[in-house]
Amino acid sequence: MSESSTFVHETACVDEGASIGEGTRVWHFCHVMPGAEIGANCTLGQNVFVAPGVRVRNHVKIENNVSLFEGVELDDYVFCGPSCVFTNVTNPRAEISRKHEFRKTKVGRGATIGANATIVCGATLGRYSFIAAGAVVTRGEVPDYAFMAGVPAKQEGWMSRHGFLLGQPDVGGIRRCIGSGFRYEESPPGRLRCLDLDEDAPLKP
């Protein structure tokens, strides 16, 4: 951890053995445990808990009251809304230890998880997917750019990289983002891709 570029609030606890990248800010009452890896230029809001074995890449924003349990992996530019919930066991019981049954949860680059949403362990959230506030993702793989809402969460449409719901395609099968003008095409069916920007390229300000 570079003291010159990383901020840790005096009320936060970063245990020895945790890794925090340059430019990352850790705010009030956070707890980052040994073996957790947090990349560069991330923000951890108040009361965020990061368990051992959690992997957080770069430019990730985690809002207040979020717990990342063992098995959670967040790719670059993921946004975790306030009080969203991750699990690591599908059928927990206080009387039974199931630490050997922890399952991984992978969140792809640029995905957004809304406030109070729940991600049940074992799910994989695709790149730039968008989970609505209060939604519950119970299983399986969420497609790239998918907009998911409800309990249990179902796909209700497609979301652009800029965070705008995409409308119906034109006669050529192209959907256009109202915020950026970028074009999107569903090809093959069930898989959306951006025609104007490589998925790994940063967005321009």
Side-chain angles (χ1 to χ4, degrees):
M1 185 168 67
S2 173
E3 294 182 358
S4 62
S5 63
T6 301
F7 172 80
V8 177
H9 192 267
E10 61 182 6
T11 62
C13 178
V14 177
D15 291 335
E16 184 175 354
S19 174
I20 298 181
E22 295 184 0
T24 288
R25 295 174 293 172
V26 181
W27 289 99
H28 306 64
F29 311 115
C30 291
H31 186 187
V32 183
M33 296 193 70
E37 296 182 9
I38 299 173
N41 301 309
C42 297
T43 299
L44 277 64
Q46 296 183 38
N47 196 37
V48 170
F49 170 75
V50 186
V54 169
R55 302 290 180 265
V56 176
R57 296 194 67 181
N58 306 314
H59 306 284
V60 172
K61 294 183 179 180
I62 304 171
E63 297 292 325
N64 299 350
N65 304 315
V66 175
S67 293
L68 304 179
F69 298 114
E70 184 175 344
V72 172
E73 298 180 4
L74 306 182
D75 207 340
D76 295 338
Y77 296 102
V78 167
F79 178 89
C80 295
S83 301
C84 70
V85 176
F86 292 88
T87 72
N88 53 13
V89 174
T90 56
N91 55 340
R93 290 292 198 193
E95 295 177 286
I96 302 171
S97 175
R98 290 202 161 106
K99 293 182 179 180
H100 62 288
E101 298 178 19
F102 286 175
R103 301 179 65 191
K104 287 190 175 182
T105 300
K106 296 185 177 182
V107 182
R109 176 187 171 104
T112 291
I113 302 171
N116 297 302
T118 297
I119 312 299
V120 176
C121 60
T124 298
L125 306 188
R127 295 157 68 92
Y128 310 109
S129 59
F130 196 105
I131 313 302
V136 179
V137 177
T138 57
R139 63 175 63 86
E141 295 189 10
V142 172
D144 296 350
Y145 298 102
F147 172 63
M148 308 289 291
V151 181
K154 296 180 180 179
Q155 185 173 355
E156 300 291 346
W158 299 104
M159 191 73 79
S160 74
R161 275 189 67 174
H162 286 77
F164 292 93
L165 193 62
L166 295 170
Q168 293 299 313
D170 60 22
V171 292
I174 303 300
R175 303 171 192 260
R176 192 176 295 272
C177 172
I178 62 173
S180 66
F182 285 179
R183 299 166 301 152
Y184 292 82
E185 182 181 40
E186 189 177 349
S187 178
R191 182 181 183 275
L192 196 74
R193 62 190 181 97
C194 181
L195 301 179
D196 296 309
L197 187 68
D198 184 86
E199 289 188 347
D200 292 318
L203 293 177
K204 294 181 180 180

